[in-house]
Amino acid sequence: MRDKAWEQSLYEHQHAMIKRLDVHRKKERSTPLTTDEVMAVEHTFQLLVASMLDLAIYLLRHHYEVDVESRDQVLEALLEHKDVTYEQGEQIRVLIELRQKILFDYLDENFEELSSALSLRRYGLVEILTKEWTARLDSTM
């Protein structure tokens, strides 16, 4: 059963995270970030990508009646159901890989790679997909 309140709350949360990432993206590059600021940006990015994957799992369950066991299987299922284009799939793959690096290679310095991805505003895809997926869910009712 769909939970429209959750969908709306997730969208609002994603929008807030995107605004935070936009603030970082627009900052003067000559001003170094503090360790806390770096951690905040990394955490925001991780949460944003995780929320996209969770919404995709929700879409797959409620629109296609497909149960995906883990976030690692989401992209494959989306592509299988032709729910994202090849280009969107590649962008999602980049976001997932970067999230995984930040999440599991936390002793390495991945912030330059994240800053590069943020400057391209790749994360904006999340909001586009959220709107598309909730519209798709609405069309099945």
Side-chain angles (χ1 to χ4, degrees):
M1 180 171 215
R2 280 186 66 190
D3 184 346
K4 288 196 172 205
W6 178 81
E7 293 172 24
Q8 183 61 37
S9 180
L10 181 76
Y11 174 76
E12 290 168 4
H13 185 66
Q14 287 177 337
H15 187 71
M17 288 184 284
I18 287 170
K19 284 174 63 175
R20 278 187 230 135
L21 292 173
D22 280 344
V23 167
H24 165 70
R25 183 177 58 83
K26 294 174 184 175
K27 270 190 174 178
E28 177 61 42
R29 294 291 171 218
S30 62
T31 307
L33 297 178
T34 67
T35 303
D36 288 345
E37 289 172 322
V38 167
M39 289 177 68
V41 170
E42 287 178 341
H43 186 66
T44 299
F45 179 80
Q46 288 175 35
L47 287 174
L48 181 62
V49 175
S51 72
M52 174 191 66
L53 295 173
D54 289 346
L55 180 61
I57 290 170
Y58 178 87
L59 169 77
L60 290 163
R61 182 179 306 124
H62 290 89
H63 187 69
Y64 298 107
E65 297 180 3
V66 171
D67 280 327
V68 176
E69 299 287 322
S70 73
R71 290 176 179 159
D72 294 338
Q73 301 167 328
V74 169
L75 181 55
E76 183 180 316
L78 289 172
L79 289 168
E80 181 180 317
H81 290 284
K82 296 180 178 27
D83 205 75
V84 294
T85 65
Y86 175 79
E87 293 80 14
Q88 288 173 327
E90 288 303 304
Q91 288 181 29
I92 291 170
R93 186 179 326 279
V94 168
L95 294 174
I96 291 170
E97 287 172 359
L98 186 51
R99 178 183 179 271
Q100 295 296 92
K101 269 187 180 178
I102 293 167
L103 192 59
F104 296 111
D105 296 340
Y106 50 84
L107 295 177
D108 292 336
E109 289 294 323
N110 295 308
F111 196 73
E112 285 304 314
E113 193 173 342
L114 176 58
S115 283
S116 172
L118 294 181
S119 69
L120 298 173
R121 204 175 187 278
R122 290 181 187 266
Y123 56 87
L125 175 66
V126 174
E127 194 164 32
I128 292 166
L129 291 175
T130 296
K131 288 178 182 177
E132 287 179 10
W133 292 342
T134 52
R136 188 159 297 124
L137 287 165
D138 288 340
S139 72
T140 60
M141 295 198 86

